[in-house]
Amino acid sequence: MKFIITSLAFIFFTISTLLSQTHSTFYQNIVDGVKYDSVLNYLKKVELLGVKSPGTTALVNAKSWLVDKYTSFGYSNIQIDTFTDNGDVLYNVIVTKTGTLYPNTYLIVCGHYDSKAGWSGDSPGVNDNGSGVSIILEIARLLKNVNTEYSIKFINFTAEETGYTGSTNYLNSIVIPQNLDIRLVFNIDEVGGVAGQINDIIKCESDQSSPTVNNVTSAAFTDTLMTLTGLYSSLGTNNTNAYGSDYMPFQSAEYIITGYFEENQSPVVHSSNDDLAHLDTSYVYEIAQAATGATLFLAQAYENSNIIGEEKSDYLINVFPTPVKDQLYINASVPIYKIELFDVQGRMILENVLSNQFNNTINFSEFENGIFHYRLSDKNGNVLKSGTLVKTTN
Ligand SMILES: [Zn+2]
């Protein structure tokens, strides 16, 4: 429990007994829905589809399979981003789940579905990247009917293996021209581990590349991802540099990225041996649980009974700056009665009744760096605004 001093609050109390859970049981119940057999069946299908490189029927069949799966989960907002590269017609598969509070701000959860062909061998790509695809399918299945404050785009990129061709096309033809507001790109690539080894650690990847303007926020989200991984799986974590996958075009364009990559690195990816027998399906299952818990938090999923529908998002409330260093300012055109702050584990760390209901300053200097969720309510308990903040010291 942290105690902080706010400059204007005259009634100040923290609650230690009401909210002592270290993680959300609501999220855990959803994470518990991850099925080992679902993951296994997706991986088997990826193997069966064969070598999915540009120009192959297998790649087109994989696209159709993905569309069928997302459709069977109940999604209707499925966009096929079609383009041509080196004479091959290619398809990114983009599934959008609309957020309730920030419908125009997107969490991208992505993993490529193509596989490698060429001099190093023709690969069915069960680990690289059937593992990521299987996990994303499972997350999409479980989150279909869960309310999230932020919108989510589940994306399976094509032609990652030819140099991020699919993700680069999506960025340049859709994200930048449409000026999409992207909260975070969470990439999952090659998370199958190595059969016969103990696979119990996952690399959580942060942006350590140039441009550096987006690196601090990536580090904060990656720390959060590590915490969430510990909460919703039995896996250990290792913070490493992000490189060599579809998040790189996004980081180059100054978007915020994070990702998962296997700790024990498979020696058979990009070869014909990248099959089911060479990876660890239990490891993929664990990561599916971690990734589901992480996605729930990163998209700010909430129980239907929370009635966030009562939020009055048209009120003019400015919460700034973000990232926040020492002082957080809240300026409002309507009276705000109460602010609540939660840490990444969902624990309430501050509950203040505000002295000045229109202009407030909250002291953040005593908080550790990381991600916080805030909620502002009126006197009747209606949520006026909620959101996420990043605290940094630099
Ligand atoms: Zn890959």
Side-chain angles (χ1 to χ4, degrees), residues 367-394:
F367 290 139
E368 287 173 13
N369 289 353
I371 292 181
F372 298 85
H373 192 66
Y374 68 86
R375 191 154 65 200
L376 305 170
S377 359
D378 68 15
K379 224 167 51 182
N380 300 318
N382 296 316
V383 177
L384 299 170
K385 187 182 176 88
S386 67
T388 306
L389 292 165
V390 177
K391 158 78 194 290
T392 70
T393 39
N394 47 0

Side-chain angles (χ1 to χ4, degrees), residues 35-49:
K35 287 187 192 151
Y36 178 83
D37 282 352
S38 294
V39 174
L40 180 63
N41 287 332
Y42 301 147
L43 292 170
K44 282 181 177 170
K45 180 66 180 182
V46 169
E47 181 169 277
L48 203 65
L49 283 163

Side-chain angles (χ1 to χ4, degrees), residues 251-270:
Q251 89 77 27
S252 294
E254 300 188 353
Y255 289 95
I256 311 302
I257 66 162
T258 193
Y260 273 156
F261 185 74
E262 62 194 5
E263 172 77 12
N264 294 335
Q265 208 166 332
S266 171
V268 299
V269 295
H270 300 175

Side-chain angles (χ1 to χ4, degrees), residues 76-361:
S76 52
N77 191 344
I78 303 173
Q79 178 186 10
I80 307 297
D81 167 28
T82 306
F83 64 101
T84 303
D85 184 68
N86 278 330
D88 298 317
V89 181
L90 297 169
Y91 311 93
N92 291 317
V93 178
I94 301 147
V95 178
T96 303
K97 172 183 167 57
T98 304
T100 53
L101 191 56
Y102 307 106
N104 297 318
T105 303
Y106 301 96
L107 168 68
I108 290 180
V109 182
C110 58
H112 71 92
Y113 72 97
D114 66 307
S115 67
K116 182 93 173 172
W119 58 270
S120 57
D122 290 345
S123 166
V126 178
N127 185 346
D128 184 12
N129 181 33
S131 58
V133 167
S134 299
I135 289 166
I136 292 167
L137 283 173
E138 196 63 350
I139 300 170
R141 181 178 74 81
L142 291 165
L143 265 66
K144 172 61 184 68
N145 295 318
V146 177
N147 281 328
T148 57
E149 292 184 0
Y150 292 92
S151 289
I152 305 176
K153 284 186 184 288
F154 299 104
I155 306 183
N156 296 121
F157 288 120
T158 187
E160 186 268 354
E161 300 289 3
T162 55
Y164 325 137
T165 309
S167 49
T168 301
N169 183 78
Y170 175 69
L171 181 72
N172 292 333
S173 69
I174 295 177
V175 173
I176 292 173
Q178 295 181 13
N179 197 21
L180 292 187
D181 180 15
I182 296 176
R183 169 170 163 76
L184 178 70
V185 176
F186 175 24
N187 188 65
I188 307 175
D189 189 2
E190 196 182 323
V191 290
V194 182
Q197 292 189 10
I198 295 169
N199 303 287
D200 56 3
I201 295 173
I202 182 77
K203 285 179 176 167
C204 297
E205 304 172 291
S206 61
D207 181 2
Q208 298 168 27
S209 305
S210 187
T212 57
V213 64
N214 46 353
N215 291 15
V216 167
T217 310
S218 168
F221 271 110
T222 303
D223 280 347
T224 298
L225 179 63
M226 294 170 81
T227 302
L228 293 163
T229 301
L231 288 176
Y232 297 105
S233 76
S234 62
L235 297 167
T237 54
N238 187 9
N239 189 332
T240 60
N241 181 25
Y243 72 99
S245 191
D246 284 318
Y247 40 34
M248 295 314 282
F250 289 92
Q251 89 77 27
S252 294
E254 300 188 353
Y255 289 95
I256 311 302
I257 66 162
T258 193
Y260 273 156
F261 185 74
E262 62 194 5
E263 172 77 12
N264 294 335
Q265 208 166 332
S266 171
V268 299
V269 295
H270 300 175
S271 83
S272 56
N273 284 330
D274 185 7
D275 55 18
L276 196 57
H278 283 83
L279 58 69
D280 180 349
T281 49
S282 297
Y283 183 56
V284 182
Y285 171 60
E286 277 293 327
I287 296 165
Q289 294 174 68
T292 300
T295 302
L296 286 164
F297 178 82
L298 294 169
Q300 284 297 307
Y302 61 91
E303 285 187 85
N304 294 352
S305 59
N306 279 5
I307 322 280
I308 297 233
E310 287 187 12
E311 292 195 19
K312 316 285 197 298
S313 55
D314 52 340
Y315 289 160
L316 219 65
I317 300 174
N318 292 316
V319 179
F320 61 98
T322 180
V324 56
K325 291 176 186 170
D326 295 328
Q327 307 288 338
L328 181 75
Y329 303 98
I330 302 168
N331 291 347
S333 66
V334 289
I336 297 171
Y337 179 70
K338 188 170 78 172
I339 177 169
E340 296 158 291
L341 264 184
F342 304 88
D343 68 9
V344 67
Q345 300 185 331
R347 288 180 296 219
M348 184 187 281
I349 54 168
L350 169 72
E351 183 180 40
N352 272 6
V353 172
L354 300 175
S355 55
N356 181 320
Q357 301 190 321
F358 298 96
N359 295 294
N360 270 277
T361 308

